[in-house]
């Protein structure tokens, strides 16, 4: 158990819908990262938050957004969903320094029908 | 840009065989290097890491040495077990900008008894 929790574990929805994925980092970690794992793209970095502020963006679509709340949990919002958004979405957390280990949650498996 | 290349899988070995999974990287600066493992239906777990040249990371009988001259971080284990069956990801994190992880495509390893 990494100490990072993600809910829900599975999500099935339809095209055009909007969903919210939730992540709670390990106790004491200030940084939260979101990654997408798909068969064709592999594991890709989406976005990083540090202590409530956006720190870096990766290959995140404009239809996707995220935030980190004062209690440090984070939410990833996916809107206008398309079939191609079906993937495993991971959250990771770290204390947030160079070379720090990132600890991953169990992921949320999203299926868009 | 920064990238990681892993040997293509899948890899199938017999129990007690010697394992090598090749990993090479391209990065600006001096990255930290990681091996993560993903067991079926689970999130990613850190297996080992190295943060500077010639460092050797080791855990659970697995080893990898950070080779700056060949930009490599090959994963090795002397005697694999059935329980080592999983997908292995090599990853890097660069010291500037976002501390995101850049992953290789993953190598699926199956160990037969």
């Amino acid at each position: 158990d990494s100490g990072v929790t993600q809910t829900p574990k599975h999500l099935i929805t339809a095209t055009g819908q909007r969903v919210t994925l939730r992540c709670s980092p390990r106790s004491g970690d200030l940084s939260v990262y979101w990654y997408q794992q798909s068969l064709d793209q592999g594991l890709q970095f989406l976005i990083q938050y540090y202590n409530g502020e956006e720190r870096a963006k990766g290959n995140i679509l404009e239809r996707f957004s995220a935030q980190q709340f004062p209690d440090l949990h984070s939410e990833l919002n996916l809107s206008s969903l398309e079939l191609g958004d079906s993937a495993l979405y991971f959250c990771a957390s770290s204390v947030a320094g160079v070379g720090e280990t990132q600890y991953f949650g169990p992921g949320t498996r999203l299926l868009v029908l | 840009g920064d990238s990681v290349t892993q040997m293509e899988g899948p890899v199938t070995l017999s129990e007690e065989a010697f394992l090598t999974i090749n990993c090479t990287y391209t990065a600006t600066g001096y990255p930290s290097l990681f091996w993560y493992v993903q067991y079926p239906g689970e999130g990613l777990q850190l297996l080992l890491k190295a943060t500077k040249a010639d460092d050797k990371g080791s855990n659970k009988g697995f080893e990898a040495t950070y080779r700056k001259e060949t930009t490599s971080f090959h994963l090795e284990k002397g005697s694999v077990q059935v329980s080592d069956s999983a997908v292995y990801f090599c990853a890097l994190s660069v010291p500037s900008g976002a501390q995101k992880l850049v992953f290789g495509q993953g190598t699926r390893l199956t160990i037969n008894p």
Side-chain angles (χ1 to χ4, degrees):
Chain A
D1 184 354
S2 66
V4 178
T5 60
Q6 289 187 249
T7 56
K9 199 171 171 69
H10 301 279
L11 203 45
I12 301 174
T13 189
T15 54
Q17 295 298 304
R18 173 190 167 93
V19 297
T20 298
L21 282 52
R22 183 188 167 105
C23 167
S24 293
R26 292 188 324 153
S27 177
D29 285 358
L30 299 178
S31 242
V32 169
Y33 308 79
W34 286 97
Y35 292 87
Q36 180 194 59
Q37 185 179 32
S38 62
L39 282 174
D40 53 346
Q41 301 281 345
L43 265 162
Q44 298 229 330
F45 167 72
L46 295 178
I47 197 164
Q48 177 198 4
Y49 276 81
Y50 175 76
N51 203 21
E53 295 193 3
E54 182 184 302
R55 173 67 66 89
K57 265 185 174 179
N59 299 325
I60 188 165
L61 299 171
E62 285 192 13
R63 300 183 284 109
F64 296 1
S65 65
Q67 52 185 327
Q68 186 179 27
F69 295 86
D71 67 352
L72 300 178
H73 91 271
S74 178
E75 292 181 356
L76 179 67
N77 300 296
L78 316 177
S79 61
S80 303
L81 285 167
E82 302 176 358
L83 296 177
D85 298 327
S86 297
L88 199 48
Y89 291 84
F90 286 111
C91 166
S93 73
S94 74
V95 174
V98 173
E100 289 280 347
T101 297
Q102 293 183 25
Y103 295 89
F104 282 74
T108 293
R109 185 171 294 280
L110 173 67
L111 180 59
V112 182
L113 300 176
Chain B
D2 304 321
S3 66
V4 175
T5 302
Q6 283 181 240
M7 68 184 280
E8 293 216 9
V11 174
T12 302
L13 296 172
S14 297
E15 206 165 21
E16 298 184 4
F18 183 85
L19 168 71
T20 300
I21 301 178
N22 290 337
C23 170
T24 57
Y25 67 89
T26 302
T28 50
Y30 301 97
S32 295
L33 301 174
F34 304 83
W35 278 100
Y36 279 84
V37 59
Q38 185 177 27
Y39 298 101
E42 297 185 15
L44 283 80
Q45 299 175 26
L46 177 70
L47 183 58
L48 52 84
K49 74 176 197 180
T51 57
K52 61 182 188 300
D54 300 325
D55 267 2
K56 178 187 278 189
S58 61
N59 185 27
K60 299 181 182 179
F62 291 90
E63 292 183 341
T65 301
Y66 189 141
R67 300 283 188 205
K68 183 167 171 288
E69 62 278 11
T70 54
T71 61
S72 64
F73 192 54
H74 304 322
L75 182 68
E76 296 182 335
K77 187 175 185 183
S79 176
V80 292
Q81 306 301 312
V82 172
S83 57
D84 294 326
S85 298
V87 181
Y88 292 80
F89 292 91
C90 184
L92 65 81
S93 167
V94 293
S96 59
Q99 284 89 53
K100 66 178 182 180
L101 288 169
V102 176
F103 286 92
Q105 67 268 42
T107 302
R108 181 175 298 278
L109 173 67
T110 301
I111 307 300
N112 293 321

